[in-house]
Amino acid sequence: MKTNDVTGRYPRGIAGVGIEMGRPGISTSFKDLQTVVMALAKWGVEFEPNNPLAALIVDKKTGKINQEVLNERVLSAIIEFKIEINRLKEVLETIKEVSKRIDTVFSLDLISRVDADGSIPTAAIAIEAGFTPRPNTKTNVGLGRPLFEEA
Amino acid sequence: MTHSLHRRGTIEDLREDYVLMIKYSRDVKIEGAEDKMRQAWEIISHYEQDLENFGNHEPNWDGNELYNMEELKKVNSRIIHAVFKDREKLKACLEEIKNKDLGLSVLISGLYDEVRKVCLEIGLEPHTVNQSLGTHGKTELLPEGETLEIHTMCGHAMISPNLIGHMVKEIDEGNVSSKDAAKKLRRMCDCAIFNPYRAEKLLTKMSVKD
């Protein structure tokens, strides 16, 4: 999202979700990571292919992680994917549910374009799914050029 | 990487904590990007006295300060970080960057309502946001209170809660001031997004409490 003003990677109607496993500062096992990835795979989400984790997800349909690393730990690993906004609520509810089945923490990120009136269209959906959006964001102010034009 | 997104604190605390970031896309080529980054550093240098921290993620570990503004104006930077405590100074800097029309992507981490107001005041509109939905799972594992607030000022977890505890002990024993302890913690954050001004206040609060 840092350069979304020029790449258009997150167009209107699409949300980006980042699950920062192990953060802040606790670390995560790949076993816990697999638990979350498998829960999300059921929704057919498209995991970010350029994320280092992508190479370790050996079965994209089930979310199974390479068994060789399952007992390893890392300080953090970010599960990233995009989802249509009209499917976001169910996916966030799944994330809420799976958070009760892991032995670590994760910090949760929700990316979207800002509406013309300055509102964040995904915030209300997050609330419906049982989350409390924090008042702080990372905001791209749209100065990148050439500005990506949506069709 | 979302290293600046999950900073903790009250609304009042976060009113003194803004991370300005500038970068260019790897996928969409922009002519003279590296030179434009140097021009961005030139603008930021006008506010050097107002910055709490700054850097480009490639620190100098020779024992002095991690970054030198004059050097940063000459080297190639893939990313620029600058931490402001004063929203008016942030606004002035952002307006200069806007007027220069460098074409680089510019981001601000901080309170959305304040950042949006800053944008509107200088004729900008927020384009895309990454919003924190907090931390979940076994949150009982997390450090508490002010320790967590200081710890999350470096999203890569380079400011260890144990080191924060050690610094509080050092302050209590009179071996170091809160200001110098905050400076020592700042050195652990390569990205230079740690806010030592806020950290000093929090360390003082923690030491008084003890």
Side-chain angles (χ1 to χ4, degrees), chain B residues 27-109:
Chain B
D27 304 319
V28 180
K29 297 286 174 219
I30 97 164
E31 189 91 9
E34 287 172 349
D35 186 52
K36 287 178 176 183
M37 292 291 273
R38 281 188 281 274
Q39 291 180 55
W41 271 123
E42 178 61 41
I43 294 170
I44 290 168
S45 74
H46 303 162
Y47 302 87
E48 186 173 356
Q49 297 309 311
D50 305 308
L51 298 177
E52 295 307 317
N53 209 345
F54 57 88
N56 68 350
H57 210 331
E58 290 180 35
N60 167 20
W61 278 105
D62 69 2
N64 295 315
E65 291 289 326
L66 292 182
Y67 294 100
N68 174 293
M69 185 62 86
E70 292 308 308
E71 286 298 316
L72 289 168
K73 288 196 281 188
K74 294 176 201 156
V75 298
N76 290 340
S77 298
R78 275 289 306 156
I79 193 160
I80 289 173
H81 291 137
V83 180
F84 290 81
K85 71 170 188 289
D86 183 334
R87 60 100 76 186
E88 292 305 313
K89 301 291 183 188
L90 167 75
K91 184 171 86 174
C93 183
L94 186 61
E95 189 167 26
E96 254 196 87
I97 292 165
K98 177 199 163 207
N99 291 341
K100 191 78 177 175
D101 195 18
L102 295 169
L104 300 166
S105 292
V106 178
L107 301 104
I108 302 165
S109 265

Side-chain angles (χ1 to χ4, degrees), chain A residues 34-67:
Chain A
Q34 179 174 262
T35 302
V36 178
V37 173
M38 286 182 77
L40 293 166
K42 286 181 185 159
W43 288 97
V45 303
E46 190 187 329
F47 296 106
E48 168 57 45
N50 293 321
N51 181 308
L53 190 58
L56 293 171
I57 305 175
V58 290
D59 185 339
K60 304 284 187 284
K61 281 192 179 150
T62 64
K64 280 223 167 202
I65 301 274
N66 184 338
Q67 300 298 292

Side-chain angles (χ1 to χ4, degrees), chain A residues 2 4-5 20 103-110 112-114 117-118 134-141 145, chain B residues 1-2 5-7 103 105-110 112 116 127-138:
Chain A
K2 289 195 191 91
N4 195 45
D5 44 358
E20 302 187 42
D103 283 323
T104 186
V105 297
F106 60 79
S107 295
L108 188 56
D109 322 329
L110 189 52
S112 73
R113 286 291 311 270
V114 176
D117 63 358
R134 288 195 38 76
N136 38 329
T137 59
K138 181 159 62 183
T139 302
N140 182 322
V141 303
R145 297 291 179 274
Chain B
M1 201 159 60
T2 51
L5 181 61
H6 299 285
R7 290 156 104 91
S105 292
V106 178
L107 301 104
I108 302 165
S109 265
Y112 178 67
R116 181 166 174 260
H127 183 279
T128 304
V129 292
N130 191 351
Q131 184 162 37
S132 170
L133 295 188
T135 302
H136 305 275
K138 258 194 176 163

Side-chain angles (χ1 to χ4, degrees), chain A residues 42-97:
Chain A
K42 286 181 185 159
W43 288 97
V45 303
E46 190 187 329
F47 296 106
E48 168 57 45
N50 293 321
N51 181 308
L53 190 58
L56 293 171
I57 305 175
V58 290
D59 185 339
K60 304 284 187 284
K61 281 192 179 150
T62 64
K64 280 223 167 202
I65 301 274
N66 184 338
Q67 300 298 292
E68 285 178 26
V69 299
L70 219 49
N71 290 318
E72 302 294 335
R73 294 191 74 82
V74 283
L75 185 53
S76 63
I78 306 180
I79 302 166
E80 282 180 274
F81 60 92
K82 290 196 278 191
I83 187 87
E84 298 86 354
I85 282 184
N86 60 13
R87 296 172 67 209
L88 178 62
K89 186 182 166 206
E90 288 81 0
V91 170
L92 288 177
E93 285 170 346
T94 298
I95 294 170
K96 188 94 183 165
E97 184 278 321

